[in-house]
Amino acid sequence: MQLLNGNEVSKALKLEIKAEVDALRAAGKKVPHLAAILVGMDGASMTYVGAKEKDCKEVGFDSTVLRFDASMTEADLLAEVEKINNNPDIDGLIVQLPLPKHINEKKVTETISYKKDVDGFHPMNVGLMFKGLPCFLPATPYGIIKLLEHYKIETTGKHCVIIGRSDIVGKPMSALMLQKNCTVTVCHSKTKSVKEFTLQADIVIAALGIPDYLTADMIKEGTVVVDVGITRVDDASAKGYSLKGDVDFANVAPKCSYITPVPGGVGPMTRVGLLLNTLVAVKRKEAVKAEGLQG
Ligand code: GUN
């Protein structure tokens, strides 16, 4: 069994990104600028946004975080999004989800300019992705693809079983694995016997958010297992919680050819996916400018 080490791979990719940013800066060109909007005080969201800010600093991006009270109105949030859409200095924008209940996430996602939608959530980017055209890929599936590519995991002709059908992970992951010539099965909460499918899988991607869901009896020997789950489970530690994946790692790992740990697997790759998208956003803008085309 070999670990798919997201910490190590993301570190190498961040060095490559930093080298590109340093070159842009040295040439007097614009460096990527990522903006994040955080509404409210959700603990996980605050951690994620803080991590994104730190990542930007590490690779030399400019970053702006706008923090608002949970009582912010939908109209005010949409106005903030429009302001950033129209700010030429900002290349990428993410609005951290979940948003407070009184704000319509769909409306917010669709208000972000698809050219700055580095989360890849806008319907325009979703459509481009399904057609295999240049777009912003959602960060987690993008990061997983980069991780599989780094370890030269064979995908052509393989059976990939994805557990979970979220807009952020399961659905886009299915399109990307299809593009990588896998036979793809998507299991979800209404699937009668998930095990029936996972036992036939060469690659399992677990993205359902149930700690320790995938057990050793559900996979065959030699399976590649990617664990997207990262659930906070309360415990007696100083932090008050630990992070649990969707895979019963201790028992599943010995049966795998490759497996991602949690933490240190998919999480850091997701973060690097966002950085790669932001770098692409600025490069695309420069290319459009150079060709004198309409942006
Ligand atoms: N909340 C959980 N994951 C994500 C993500 O990838 N992007 C945003 N904007 N919010 C999230």
Side-chain angles (χ1 to χ4, degrees):
M1 179 277 294
Q2 191 181 343
L3 278 186
L4 296 169
N5 190 331
N7 276 338
E8 222 170 79
V9 178
S10 71
K11 223 180 263 174
L13 286 171
K14 279 194 278 188
L15 284 177
E16 285 177 23
I17 296 170
K18 186 172 185 313
E20 283 206 45
V21 175
D22 288 347
L24 286 173
R25 190 172 273 120
K29 293 200 176 142
K30 184 181 184 317
V31 300
H33 185 169
L34 175 67
I37 295 181
L38 175 63
V39 184
M41 304 278 280
D42 176 73
S45 291
M46 289 198 293
T47 306
Y48 292 147
V49 169
K52 287 165 188 170
E53 229 178 340
K54 185 173 151 271
D55 289 339
C56 283
K57 203 175 211 173
E58 204 178 321
V59 297
F61 287 4
D62 291 334
S63 77
T64 300
V65 178
L66 300 173
R67 294 180 168 84
F68 297 102
D69 194 81
S71 63
M72 176 186 220
T73 66
E74 183 182 282
D76 283 348
L77 177 56
L78 295 177
E80 290 294 336
V81 169
E82 286 293 3
K83 250 196 263 175
I84 294 177
N85 283 345
N86 295 319
N87 180 346
D89 188 54
I90 293 177
D91 307 294
L93 166 63
I94 60 157
V95 176
Q96 189 63 34
L97 303 178
L99 287 166
K101 295 248 177 313
H102 64 279
I103 298 179
N104 183 335
E105 281 183 2
K106 182 171 170 286
K107 224 176 190 175
V108 174
T109 301
E110 292 177 11
T111 300
I112 297 172
S113 161
Y114 79 92
K115 292 173 192 163
K116 297 193 179 187
D117 168 40
V118 285
D119 260 330
F121 293 171
H122 191 286
M124 183 77 169
N125 281 314
V126 175
L128 290 167
M129 178 199 62
F130 269 88
K131 301 255 314 167
L133 294 169
C135 64
F136 294 119
L137 297 176
T140 299
Y142 190 12
I144 292 171
I145 294 290
K146 289 295 245 184
L147 192 61
L148 296 176
E149 285 176 354
H150 176 88
Y151 285 93
K152 300 188 167 49
I153 306 286
E154 182 63 77
T155 52
T156 296
K158 302 294 181 188
H159 183 196
C160 175
V161 174
I162 297 164
I163 316 172
R165 57 171 160 177
S166 69
D167 287 345
I168 297 182
V169 184
K171 282 186 205 166
M173 203 67 236
S174 68
L176 296 178
M177 292 309 270
L178 202 52
Q179 280 164 24
K180 290 191 79 65
N181 299 317
C182 278
T183 301
V184 178
T185 300
V186 182
C187 297
H188 48 80
S189 53
K190 300 288 188 288
T191 301
K192 294 245 165 55
S193 172
V194 174
K195 182 175 171 178
E196 216 173 280
F197 297 101
T198 53
L199 274 173
Q200 296 176 41
D202 302 303
I203 303 170
V204 174
I205 301 177
L208 68 162
I210 300 178
D212 292 339
Y213 174 86
L214 190 81
T215 47
D217 59 308
M218 294 172 78
I219 60 157
K220 63 181 183 186
E221 287 285 339
T223 307
V224 177
V225 172
V226 176
D227 188 350
V228 184
I230 187 143
T231 306
R232 286 185 178 203
V233 177
D234 292 340
D235 67 9
S237 70
K239 252 194 194 165
Y241 66 86
S242 59
L243 299 174
K244 294 285 281 176
D246 290 348
V247 177
D248 171 15
F249 185 90
N251 295 305
V252 168
K255 275 183 98 171
C256 294
S257 54
Y258 295 89
I259 184 168
T260 58
V262 174
V266 173
M269 293 305 297
T270 294
R271 288 165 59 177
V272 100
L274 182 66
L275 294 175
L276 287 167
N277 276 342
T278 309
L279 183 60
V280 166
V282 78
K283 280 194 202 162
R284 226 177 253 166
K285 228 164 62 177
E286 289 299 315
V288 166
K289 236 195 273 171
E291 288 184 27
L293 299 171
Q294 196 71 37

